[in-house]
Amino acid sequence: MAKRALITGITGQDGSYLAELLLEKGYEVYGIARRLSAPNSWRIDHILDRITVRPGDLLDQLSLLKVIDEVRPQEIYNLAAMSFVPASWDQPMLTGEFNAQGVTRMLDAVRRVDPNIRFYQASSSEMYGKVREVPQTELTPFYPRSPYGVSKVYGHYITVNYRESYNLFAVSGILFNHESPRRGLEFVTRKVTDGVARIKLGMKQTLGLGNLDAQRDWGFSGDYVHAMWLMLQQDRPDDYVISTGISHSVKELVQIAFERVGLDWQKHVQLDPAFLRPAEVDHLLGDCSRAKTELGWEPKVDFRGLIEMMVDADMARLSGGTPQAGPK
């Protein structure tokens, strides 16, 4: 019998790549999506006929119990979250409800319905925030610098607690920044690649950015969802840092993106203080050696390859005139 997997946040970047990966591996794939007045399924439209999407909401415990009881998955991937860091300052309470209590609701539903379900929690490098050491490992202390980061620390430790208290196979992947052509337009990588394509095509003249010196460890979402799957195939549950181990500045990102279309970035980029964070995180750089050794995981797409892939996708999308935020 085929394995069944349930993905919260299936309409997001990671959810869509993970759904594709699991379908390739012969899984029956189910997703949980919130009922919205306007559909947000463009990332999974091409596989909608091969997956089953059920209504559910991390704020509604009964909806989670119902879906898990009906689907009876062997694996659950909890990817749903308020995932845009700056917005967490505008809605700190709601961010906590989704990213902290939402995880608790999922774990408790697993415990009540079927404690044999293997559970993956999406943790984040933003938990390190004002970093205590460079690079960061699974043992580096957390010092989050945003309501988002704080909420993710809660989600991380409640997963550890349910693992240790109820003997659940529950793991967290501490994923560093990971991007793709399916990234939301509000994230800096996608904002840059979409902006570059628009400037190249004569649709706009300038691109406003905040801190060009901010450093991030950026990888490809398609590589990172493979690590999530590997974590749930192990003999024992554990948490892993997933990263490339190489950091790049926003300025490098900008240079590569403009180079791809043959433009000089300095003629188009404007610094805009509105995009600076209230508290910037320091040098986020992940040490993924444990994941490499124990999971046998390696990132395949390098930084230049990732940014060029994203620029090419945005050029193709905007040249074709498709209205949605994602690739065709």
Side-chain angles (χ1 to χ4, degrees):
M1 262 183 62
K3 268 190 179 176
R4 278 187 304 281
L6 179 63
I7 303 170
T8 73
I10 196 168
T11 59
Q13 169 186 257
D14 293 2
S16 65
Y17 281 110
L18 178 61
E20 287 174 353
L21 175 73
L22 295 176
L23 287 171
E24 279 172 29
K25 293 186 178 296
Y27 280 66
E28 286 177 36
V29 178
Y30 292 80
I32 294 180
R34 298 170 69 204
R35 287 203 190 281
L36 300 170
S37 52
N40 177 35
S41 64
W42 60 266
R43 295 180 181 90
I44 54 170
D45 281 342
H46 64 294
I47 53 170
L48 271 178
D49 58 339
R50 300 167 61 201
I51 63 178
T52 307
V53 181
R54 297 282 180 87
D57 194 320
L58 289 186
L59 304 187
D60 179 2
Q61 176 85 18
L62 284 176
S63 73
L64 303 178
L65 284 162
K66 185 170 187 282
V67 175
I68 295 170
D69 188 42
E70 288 173 358
V71 173
R72 294 285 170 154
Q74 283 84 34
E75 298 174 3
I76 290 179
Y77 296 85
N78 186 40
L79 310 185
M82 296 272 285
S83 62
F84 186 48
V85 177
S88 74
W89 292 101
D90 300 325
Q91 295 182 294
M93 302 289 284
L94 189 61
T95 298
E97 280 295 330
F98 275 112
N99 298 1
Q101 298 298 7
V103 185
T104 314
R105 292 185 192 103
M106 283 297 298
L107 285 162
D108 212 62
V110 167
R111 177 178 76 86
R112 290 168 188 277
V113 176
D114 178 3
N116 292 313
I117 294 171
R118 296 190 166 206
F119 181 87
Y120 172 86
Q121 164 60 13
S123 286
S124 166
S125 60
E126 288 284 334
M127 301 188 302
Y128 296 119
K130 190 178 173 70
V131 300
R132 307 289 186 90
E133 61 182 3
V134 180
Q136 294 88 51
T137 72
E138 291 81 3
L139 299 176
T140 303
F142 300 135
Y143 193 153
R145 296 272 277 171
S146 64
Y148 172 82
V150 172
S151 69
K152 280 292 187 180
V153 171
Y154 183 105
H156 182 85
Y157 277 126
I158 200 71
T159 303
V160 172
N161 272 263
Y162 268 70
R163 175 169 76 218
E164 294 177 353
S165 303
Y166 298 114
N167 203 27
L168 297 185
F169 194 109
V171 303
S172 287
I174 306 172
L175 271 57
F176 280 67
N177 294 61
H178 47 290
E179 319 295 317
S180 75
R182 300 178 193 171
R183 192 55 140 153
L185 287 166
E186 67 272 22
F187 291 87
V188 68
T189 46
R190 186 73 199 292
K191 183 182 170 183
V192 168
T193 62
D194 176 79
V196 163
R198 287 176 189 277
I199 290 167
K200 180 64 177 177
L201 295 169
M203 298 160 82
K204 64 186 278 191
Q205 296 302 312
T206 59
L207 176 62
L209 293 170
N211 181 9
L212 290 186
D213 297 322
Q215 300 259 344
R216 293 288 185 277
D217 181 332
W218 277 298
F220 172 50
S221 172
D223 289 340
Y224 284 35
V225 299
H226 185 234
M228 300 176 187
W229 176 78
L230 284 169
M231 280 181 225
L232 291 194
Q233 313 314 311
Q234 302 305 303
D235 293 332
R236 61 182 183 84
D238 210 343
D239 307 322
Y240 292 91
V241 165
I242 304 299
S243 65
T244 67
I246 305 167
S247 69
H248 298 273
S249 65
V250 175
K251 185 188 276 186
E252 284 177 79
L253 154 67
V254 167
Q255 286 169 330
I256 290 171
F258 276 95
E259 261 173 38
R260 184 67 172 171
V261 297
L263 293 175
D264 176 1
W265 71 272
Q266 287 171 304
K267 292 180 178 168
H268 301 281
V269 171
Q270 293 182 336
L271 295 183
D272 186 341
F275 295 120
L276 296 173
R277 291 188 183 188
E280 179 60 82
V281 298
D282 297 322
H283 195 171
L284 287 178
L285 177 64
D287 177 353
C288 58
S289 49
R290 270 194 65 213
K292 289 181 174 179
T293 306
E294 296 180 19
L295 303 176
W297 177 81
E298 286 277 353
K300 294 188 172 69
V301 178
D302 68 5
F303 182 66
R304 178 175 288 274
L306 170 66
I307 302 309
E308 291 181 348
M309 173 205 304
M310 291 174 68
V311 171
D312 293 351
D314 277 323
M315 285 292 292
R317 176 178 60 89
L318 292 165
S319 303
T322 47
Q324 85 269 33
K328 290 198 287 186

